[in-house]
Amino acid sequence: MTEAATASEPAPIPGHIPESVVYDFDMFRDPAYLADPHKRVIDLLENAPPVFWTPRNGGHWMLVSHAANFEAARDCEDFSSEVLPYKEMEALLDQLADETGRVPRAYPINLDPPLHGIYRKPLQGVFSPRTINTMQEQIRAMACDLLDAVAGKGGCEFMSAVAEPLPVKVFLRMLGMPEDKYPEYRALVRAHLDAQALPGAEGALQRLQKVAQAMRDTIEERRDERRDDIISMLWGVEIDGRATTQEDLENYGVLLFIAGLDTVMQGIGLGVRHLAENPALQQRLRDDPSLISKATEELLRRYSFTVPPRRVARDMEFQGVQMKAGERAMLFLPGADLDPREFENPTEVNLEREGAHIAFNAGPHRCLGSHLARVELNILYEELLTRLPQFRLDPDKPPSFNCGHVVGVEQLHLVWGD
Ligand code: HEM
């Protein structure tokens, strides 16, 4: 458990919120959640209201049911992604920039329409299946290298050995960054991971500035000399009819860093932990690798792990509760994808299951990197099941977890062989 495990002080409950929809849950520090996140998610689905107010971390809504998440995710007018309204955020960042230098903006994830669409559109081609598919063999080679380095050892701490390095290597290669940036980026990812388990934005802006700084030279180089990478592609697109600038490129780079590294890593960690606990599933996938892509989907659903924040934009009734403008609401996607009202026997990993999960969210902000994430996960599972014999959790070192806006595995000790 991290230092974040000390309970936060409960805030007073606003007068318009009845006791019947209040439930005490600290998404950053709840001990049962930290001990085994998705077990606690099931407990919340069974025992908490489908939409509840928690007094922790300043007080906010938690949308737990599938119905609540699906509705809110598609309703950008009432559930704003601008946790601070756009103009206020810009003014604040400009003011901070006077003291510390320019602060990059993670557009479009924290924008509402119409600006959201303007900044999202240029990324769509960059992350299209056609572009990503050209990366497959390189991703496979990186996964094989990492797995081969541990295969002969009989065991490893899988997060630091494989799950964390793979997306960092893919990110550097895709963006066309020099390989010698790898240690610097691992350290930046580590700092980002350590910080996101804590509420509030302390130090977040400086971390984003460091991420932008680390890619500044490559961005400048590609402006004058294009190559076959994402930074070059982004120099070639237009934003609302104008050419992209150095600042746009830094913004996009920071966005991809915060959206696409720890997410893939946690997807891998949670999926591999399930496989380690389920030798029969490992065997089934080894016997019939054509089932792996289905397993990837089911594992994403069974262990959905992101909790995107929203700001309630107006006073309204939502799913039977009164919300007020300015309140914060969390899209608790782990709850949505384990909701028995939506998925029969939701805890079962069922490769024959029909119906779509919302691990990548729904609506206008739906994940732009979902195809890349699926490719990385599929390849990793394929090579893991080929290169390692049956693996299991190390009985002496149980896994540890972290939670916050991204829920995941901190340490995953695996063993294999005799
Ligand atoms: C298993 C891995 C991943 C999961 C579960 C995931 C999940 C999500 C979710 C839930 C959102 C919506 C956030 C919101 O509504 O506020 C999102 C948005 C986004 N994701 Fe992913 N993601 C993953 C991997 C990636 C990767 C690999 C990339 C690219 C490198 C990526 C890029 C993005 C971008 C750019 C957005 C913003 C889209 C927008 O606001 O329009 N993601 N992701």
Side-chain angles (χ1 to χ4, degrees):
M1 240 181 256
T2 65
E3 61 187 271
T6 332
S8 67
E9 282 301 312
I13 311 288
H16 66 285
I17 299 177
E19 221 173 272
S20 57
V21 295
V22 176
Y23 188 92
D24 190 353
F25 176 68
D26 189 330
M27 64 177 269
F28 294 94
R29 308 174 178 90
D30 180 271
Y33 193 42
L34 272 168
D36 196 342
H38 290 83
K39 205 164 156 196
R40 179 68 164 128
V41 174
I42 293 158
D43 178 47
L44 288 176
L45 280 157
E46 286 170 358
N47 297 306
V51 175
F52 70 80
W53 176 270
T54 173
R56 300 289 164 178
N57 301 300
H60 59 84
W61 294 104
M62 292 288 291
L63 278 47
V64 185
S65 66
H66 186 280
N69 278 287
F70 196 59
E71 186 178 341
R74 290 173 305 145
D75 178 0
C76 300
E77 271 185 34
D78 292 334
F79 289 94
S80 167
S81 289
E82 297 176 9
V83 179
L84 263 188
Y86 176 70
K87 285 195 174 140
E88 283 175 42
M89 176 61 88
E90 284 289 303
L92 177 69
L93 294 180
D94 285 344
Q95 184 194 330
L96 287 168
D98 291 341
E99 295 154 26
T100 65
R102 181 174 187 275
V103 184
R105 278 78 159 144
Y107 296 158
I109 202 166
N110 53 11
L111 290 177
D112 292 336
L115 266 183
H116 167 260
I118 289 173
Y119 283 90
R120 179 176 165 107
K121 197 166 161 238
L123 288 173
Q124 263 157 341
V126 172
F127 284 98
S128 69
R130 198 162 60 91
T131 318
I132 299 303
N133 287 345
T134 62
M135 288 280 301
Q136 291 218 29
E137 286 321 304
Q138 293 186 53
I139 296 175
R140 191 175 298 283
M142 293 178 218
C144 293
D145 282 353
L146 291 166
L147 289 164
D148 287 347
V150 294
K153 294 185 176 167
C156 72
E157 196 290 291
F158 196 77
M159 299 310 290
S160 55
V162 180
E164 189 178 311
L166 180 65
V168 180
K169 282 174 181 277
V170 172
F171 176 85
L172 291 178
R173 185 70 61 86
M174 281 188 74
L175 267 78
M177 309 270 293
E179 302 221 339
D180 61 13
K181 290 268 179 197
Y182 176 70
E184 187 180 353
Y185 264 81
R186 283 276 314 253
L188 285 168
V189 170
R190 199 60 251 165
H192 178 65
L193 286 167
D194 290 345
Q196 74 186 355
L198 301 163
E202 209 181 305
L205 299 181
Q206 287 93 322
R207 281 193 301 280
L208 296 187
Q209 284 173 320
K210 281 191 187 153
V211 172
Q213 204 177 354
M215 53 182 68
R216 195 157 291 151
D217 293 347
T218 312
I219 293 176
E220 276 172 16
E221 280 164 30
R222 295 299 184 281
R223 184 182 49 209
D224 306 323
E225 194 198 320
R226 306 287 161 88
R227 292 203 198 149
D228 184 18
D229 58 42
I230 284 186
I231 292 183
S232 301
M233 283 173 88
L234 289 171
W235 272 122
V237 299
E238 288 189 342
I239 299 178
D240 206 20
R242 65 162 175 85
T244 42
T245 63
Q246 176 84 18
E247 292 181 352
D248 294 323
L249 270 277
E250 286 178 19
N251 289 347
Y252 279 140
V254 166
L255 167 75
L256 300 179
F257 177 92
I258 59 176
L261 289 175
D262 56 322
T263 45
V264 175
M265 167 183 166
Q266 301 304 3
I268 293 174
L270 291 162
V272 172
R273 180 251 195 155
H274 183 92
L275 289 171
E277 287 180 320
N278 291 278
L281 179 60
Q282 283 187 45
Q283 199 50 50
R284 192 167 170 213
L285 298 176
R286 283 195 178 93
D287 292 344
D288 184 357
S290 73
L291 294 173
I292 287 177
S293 56
K294 190 67 208 179
T296 298
E297 267 349 278
E298 254 300 82
L299 291 168
L300 279 167
R301 180 200 63 79
R302 173 64 180 83
Y303 300 98
S304 277
F305 56 86
T306 68
V307 186
R310 296 289 189 265
R311 176 175 50 84
V312 175
R314 62 173 179 102
D315 294 359
M316 60 178 177
E317 186 183 319
F318 174 77
Q319 301 262 328
V321 301
Q322 291 300 323
M323 297 185 168
K324 286 220 180 288
E327 290 172 347
R328 289 175 304 140
M330 304 298 161
L331 304 186
F332 193 54
L333 302 181
D337 277 338
L338 281 172
D339 188 340
R341 289 158 288 212
E342 184 69 19
F343 298 101
E344 212 180 318
N345 297 328
T347 56
E348 187 192 341
V349 171
N350 172 1
L351 304 188
E352 280 76 45
R353 191 183 293 279
E354 305 283 336
H357 62 73
I358 53 171
F360 293 114
N361 213 354
H365 286 277
R366 193 184 173 283
C367 179
L368 269 168
S370 60
H371 188 69
L372 171 62
R374 287 181 165 120
V375 165
E376 289 189 61
L377 287 164
N378 280 336
I379 289 178
L380 189 274
Y381 294 143
E382 279 165 22
E383 296 304 331
L384 175 70
L385 292 164
T386 309
R387 275 153 208 275
L388 296 191
Q390 196 175 98
F391 52 90
R392 55 199 183 278
L393 297 181
D394 183 337
D396 299 326
K397 295 177 191 162
S400 56
F401 301 92
N402 47 54
C403 48
H405 290 289
V406 178
V407 178
V409 187
E410 183 68 29
Q411 292 211 325
L412 182 64
H413 291 276
L414 300 181
V415 287
W416 52 86
D418 302 327

